[in-house]
Every structure is written in structure tokens, then in C-alpha cells.
Amino acid sequence: MLQAIADTARAVFGARAVSILVAVEDGKELEFAAVSGEGDDTTPGRRISAARGVAGWVFAEGRPLVVEDVTQDPRFAAGFARSTGYVPKAIMSAPVLGDDGPIGVMNVLDRRRAGAGMAEVEILERFCHLAALALFGSSPHHPSGRP
């Protein structure tokens, strides 16, 4: 189910890649549970510290982040990106929320249009809600208060 969500999000955003990371090791690490597009052959199953990178920041803060130029953002984990064989230029990321806070992160890399507006972030949050449903099997909290 997570793979289908990643594949659909990639098509909707016209992105080079989409990844869904899930918290493991009591929230100390994020594991790539689904990857669509660039890096789909090298990244699934890999883990990154939940305190690292854009995904780590989004996981810790529990709110979305849009970085249009990763070279200008110190949160970007460039070394990890290089190890996957794909270094994006832009990232749009949002938390996957459970009842007690973030349980993962969804990243959209190099989407077709730069300059993400609120509508795009809201669409990403909807995909995150679907990912939470896939993980929980029931209806978790939605950040906007809407089902």
C-alpha cells in the first residue's frame, strides 16, 4: 500500500522521486519503507538517523518543509543523498502523523513545478494521511482536523 501511495504521489506532483520513511528503533531512525522513481533500486530498507537531514527536521518538528535549493539549506544530508545515487535539487517534505505525533515522513523530490504553494503542501499532507492509514489500518489524526 505504501508503494502505491508513493507511486501515485510521484505522478500527481510530476516528481523525480517520492519516498515514505517510517520511524523505527523507538523513533531514533527513519527507514525508507517505499520509494518511487530515482533511488528506488538502492534506497528501500535503508535507514537514516531521525536527527539528520530535512526528513529528520520534519519528523522532529512535526510540520512540513519546502526547500527549493538543497545546496542552500544546512539541514540537507548531502552525504546520504550521494550514497543513494541521486541528489535532488528541491525537497517538499511533510510528517506522517499518528495519534501521538509523527510516525514517519514523506518526501517529494524535484517536483515538476518549483515554488510549492499551500495547495501543494495540503495535497502532500493528504498523501501523508493515506500513508498513516496504511500503517495503522484505521483513521489517525489529520493535521488540519479534517478526515
Side-chain angles (χ1 to χ4, degrees):
M1 183 70 153
L2 290 177
Q3 187 62 50
I5 292 167
D7 291 341
T8 303
R10 184 171 151 242
V12 166
F13 289 109
R16 295 272 312 268
V18 168
S19 58
I20 300 173
L21 297 87
V22 176
V24 293
E25 300 294 327
D26 293 328
K28 293 181 179 135
E29 292 184 319
L30 296 170
E31 181 175 311
F32 286 83
V35 178
S36 178
E38 298 288 337
D40 64 0
D41 56 341
T42 60
T43 311
R46 293 188 65 182
R47 293 180 177 188
I48 187 169
S49 167
R52 244 180 104 194
V54 170
W57 186 92
V58 168
F59 181 74
E61 294 295 318
R63 58 190 173 125
L65 178 66
V66 177
V67 178
E68 295 297 348
D69 181 357
V70 298
T71 65
Q72 301 300 310
D73 196 305
R75 293 170 286 204
F76 180 63
F80 182 84
R82 279 191 296 276
S83 77
T84 69
Y86 174 62
V87 179
K89 293 177 180 67
I91 299 175
M92 181 172 63
S93 185
V96 176
L97 298 173
D99 289 333
D100 297 320
I103 58 169
V105 173
M106 189 167 179
N107 296 318
V108 176
L109 310 175
D110 294 328
R111 62 201 182 286
R112 182 178 28 245
R113 291 186 326 229
M118 284 302 296
E120 276 194 304
V121 172
E122 287 179 13
I123 292 168
L124 178 57
E125 288 177 326
R126 293 292 183 169
F127 278 110
C128 289
H129 183 69
L130 291 174
L133 286 171
L135 291 166
F136 279 108
S138 63
S139 184
H141 166 76
H142 187 275
S144 68
R146 298 182 305 259

